[in-house]
Amino acid sequence: MFFRPYYTWKFVAKFMSFNQFSRRDFLKLSAAGAASVAFFPSVSFAAYPDKPRVIAMNNLHTGEALESCYFDGKEYVNKELARLNHLCRDFRRNEVHPIDKELFDHLTQIQRLLGTTNEVQIISGYRSPATNEALRAQSSGGVAKKSYHMFGKAIDFRIEGVKLAHVREAALSLKAGGVGYYPTSQFVHIDTGPVRSW
């Protein structure tokens, strides 16, 4: 039997009324997402390559917000990626660095799995080496010396109105890189490094 991954999104539509999203529904959804990844290990949107990818983001440190269609259905839109890079900049030093566009794809996939287009709230995007070192000096082991943030390959975030545990489960189901869970600080970390979790 040929598996069509868009069945996953039909499943989402059937079970999602976000305000009444139960644990049982979420587990069903996670299983469907895992099946999709098992058949299609690449998370490059192969299931719907011709669909635009739109994301709304808010940098909680600067108060800046934007909505961007960064992929027009055929290719990435450089002007929109530049806007997203600026939003995800190291706000402490006002330094902009290219963000791995796969991170935005992962965020959009997480939203699709959860059946929401709610705003992605950024805690941390790009970090300059100087900022990363300063944060390491202030933390008790919570900031990696060679953090993926320094290469534009990591983002710490939450999704407005969505339980953090649900965001984590959706991110894990992608099997697309690192996933860190920080419930006390209220954010999930994702990166485009090796698949792992903590």
Side-chain angles (χ1 to χ4, degrees), residues 3-23:
F3 178 83
R4 295 187 180 182
Y6 64 74
Y7 288 168
T8 301
W9 315 126
K10 288 183 178 180
F11 179 90
V12 171
K14 179 179 178 183
F15 282 95
M16 280 304 299
S17 169
F18 197 77
N19 292 330
Q20 300 176 354
F21 192 39
S22 72
R23 174 78 175 161

Side-chain angles (χ1 to χ4, degrees), residues 27 39 44 52 65 73 80-81 83 94 98 121 147-148 165 167 171 184-185:
L27 291 174
F39 279 88
S44 61
E80 292 302 308
L81 290 175
R83 293 176 67 215
N94 202 33
Q121 299 176 331
S147 170
Y148 280 95
V167 175
T184 303
S185 301

Side-chain angles (χ1 to χ4, degrees), residues 3-16 29 32-33 36-37 45-48 51 108-115 173-174:
F3 178 83
R4 295 187 180 182
Y6 64 74
Y7 288 168
T8 301
W9 315 126
K10 288 183 178 180
F11 179 90
V12 171
K14 179 179 178 183
F15 282 95
M16 280 304 299
L29 177 59
S36 175
V37 173
F45 280 73
Y48 33 89
K51 294 191 177 182
T108 308
Q109 279 197 312
I110 288 167
Q111 288 181 309
R112 285 178 182 266
L113 282 170
L114 294 169
S173 77
L174 295 182

Side-chain angles (χ1 to χ4, degrees), residues 162-180:
V162 180
K163 287 185 178 180
L164 197 68
H166 291 179
V167 175
R168 173 181 178 265
E169 291 302 319
L172 287 170
S173 77
L174 295 182
K175 299 181 182 178
V179 178

Side-chain angles (χ1 to χ4, degrees), residues 40-108:
F40 296 89
S42 169
V43 289
S44 61
F45 280 73
Y48 33 89
D50 58 343
K51 294 191 177 182
R53 301 169 204 167
V54 177
I55 193 166
M57 302 184 81
N58 174 21
N59 187 316
L60 295 181
H61 295 287
T62 66
E64 298 166 299
L66 63 78
E67 184 171 319
S68 173
C69 179
Y70 69 93
F71 183 83
D72 65 10
K74 294 182 180 179
E75 60 187 6
Y76 291 96
V77 182
N78 290 331
K79 182 179 178 181
E80 292 302 308
L81 290 175
R83 293 176 67 215
L84 291 168
N85 291 341
H86 184 264
L87 187 74
C88 296
R89 71 191 181 279
D90 180 343
F91 70 92
R92 294 173 179 87
R93 300 176 63 87
N94 202 33
E95 290 184 20
V96 178
H97 186 279
I99 302 295
D100 188 339
K101 57 185 175 287
E102 286 188 14
L103 283 174
F104 302 127
D105 288 346
H106 297 345
L107 289 170
T108 308

Side-chain angles (χ1 to χ4, degrees), residues 126-181:
Y126 169 66
R127 287 187 209 144
S128 67
T131 292
N132 198 70
E133 190 55 38
L135 291 174
R136 269 177 53 78
Q138 296 170 12
S139 76
S140 56
V143 178
K145 184 175 183 179
K146 294 186 178 180
S147 170
Y148 280 95
H149 287 279
M150 294 192 301
F151 308 100
K153 294 181 177 291
I155 192 163
D156 300 338
F157 72 103
R158 56 182 177 247
I159 299 177
E160 184 181 30
V162 180
K163 287 185 178 180
L164 197 68
H166 291 179
V167 175
R168 173 181 178 265
E169 291 302 319
L172 287 170
S173 77
L174 295 182
K175 299 181 182 178
V179 178
Y181 184 51

